[in-house]
Amino acid sequence: MIEVAITHAFRDLTLDVAFASPARALALFGDSGAGKTSVLDAIAGLLEPQHGRIVLDGQCLFDHAARVAMPVSMRDVGYVFQDGRLFPHLRVHANLLYGARARRRSATDFARIVELLDLGDLLDRSPSTLSGGERQRVAIGRALLAQPRILLLDEPLTGLHREARAQVLGHLGRLKRELRVATLLVSHQADEVIALADEVVLLRAGNVAGQVDVAAFAAMQVPRVSGSAH
Amino acid sequence: MNPLTPDEWQALALSLRVAGLSVLASLPFALGLAWLLSRVRFPGRLLVEAVLFLPLTLPPVVTGYALLVLFGRHGALGEWLAGLGIVFAFRWTGAVLAAAVMGFPLLVLSIRVAFDGVDRRLERAAETLGAGAWRRFATIVVPLSVRGIVAGCVLAFARAFGEFGATISFVSNIPGETRTLPIAIYELMNVPGGLPGVQRLTVVALVVAFVATLAAAVLGGTAWGRRRDD
């Protein structure tokens, strides 16, 4: 269960977002510049909102009024950045285990996650030799192996070519079906949201424009799709 | 045929020992200070930088005198340290201290530039994976700065190896104890028939400086290559 109620004024956008959801697979959907990544950053602790409160599974991560701001490293979230951000000096194997080691957790799921994300042949490779899709799969595996309470996915398929995008989307779908980790996906692509989310928060210009289940969200996309066909 | 006299060998060995130990002893402090200057905005930062660079701008003799005032047997710190059995004045340990002080700005500057070059987003990624400040420093910042750290060590070593003014002011010219290679050259210049010795030691100084610089290029290049291509 995640509860977010935050406000933060940027130079060109005022973020004023409030939503709560028990969904295991939640998505934030909106155009570029709607404030989606800022919400993820606030949950992870990379952005300290000017006001508000964030609660994850009953634990307060941030509360401006109560002056609570849990350090980033203690929040127990797994953040998959749009650009992967693999550590360039570490091989894939060491990248994957980084979070588990930092949190002093045994990576009991290592073999399973390597198999689910099809990383077996990449373990000895350096990040600089990986393709965009491979890099993103490693970034997802690295975040998962830290055993987070929630996996934050920031446009994980953006910038990938069509084939790699379909491949990573397939892997994320497998993870959703086979692992029980909560996810919060940020995307501006409806097909990604429909494939990976159970519930969708619609963001528009820094505000919540609606919150619907994925079936209703899919139905909302039909006119757009048919409209774009003409 | 032995290319150097026993006294000259002694001066060379002492210089290598003094320069090496000065770098080793000052490296942890340089790493810490470089990190502070690179990552933390604190009041008085400019003042710290100004003090840090004083040994580069002050006449070395003045630095040596300041060390004598501070660390001499009756100096502000020297008397207290003598109580703990630590004596610097007119000892080879004092030559190490003088060399460390003179090389310190170069060491900190090189490391700081290297730290500035590390992509902060990687540190943020490590933070979301549960890595605290120390782990991020040890596993991300330092490994990605190896080239600058090596370059800084070599620069500081070369500076320490050639150190003369502060050393002779602080610890004088005691054969076998504080007569380093530059001091030996200076002394040979002032004795009749000393010219061949001056020439021999000058060649040695040139060789050591050249090998040190070459080693920096090779070590730095190797570390860089490993990071990129491994």
Side-chain angles (χ1 to χ4, degrees), chain A residues 89 91 98 103 126 128, chain B residues 121-122 127-128 139 228 230:
Chain A
H89 57 301
R91 289 169 188 266
Y98 189 91
R103 290 188 176 141
S126 160
S128 63
Chain B
R121 294 175 308 164
L122 295 175
E127 205 174 355
T128 66
T139 61
R228 288 175 61 85
D230 196 288

Side-chain angles (χ1 to χ4, degrees), chain B residues 92-134:
Chain B
W92 70 270
T93 48
V96 173
L97 179 63
V101 167
M102 297 304 287
F104 196 62
L106 296 171
L107 192 55
V108 174
L109 188 64
S110 289
I111 297 174
R112 187 208 164 156
V113 169
F115 284 178
D116 283 345
V118 173
D119 188 344
R120 305 280 174 97
R121 294 175 308 164
L122 295 175
E123 291 175 65
R124 298 302 260 170
E127 205 174 355
T128 66
L129 288 163
W134 171 248

Side-chain angles (χ1 to χ4, degrees), chain B residues 146-148 150-151 214-226:
Chain B
V146 163
R147 199 182 190 192
V150 171
L214 199 66
V218 171
L219 284 172
T222 306
W224 183 247
R226 191 178 299 137

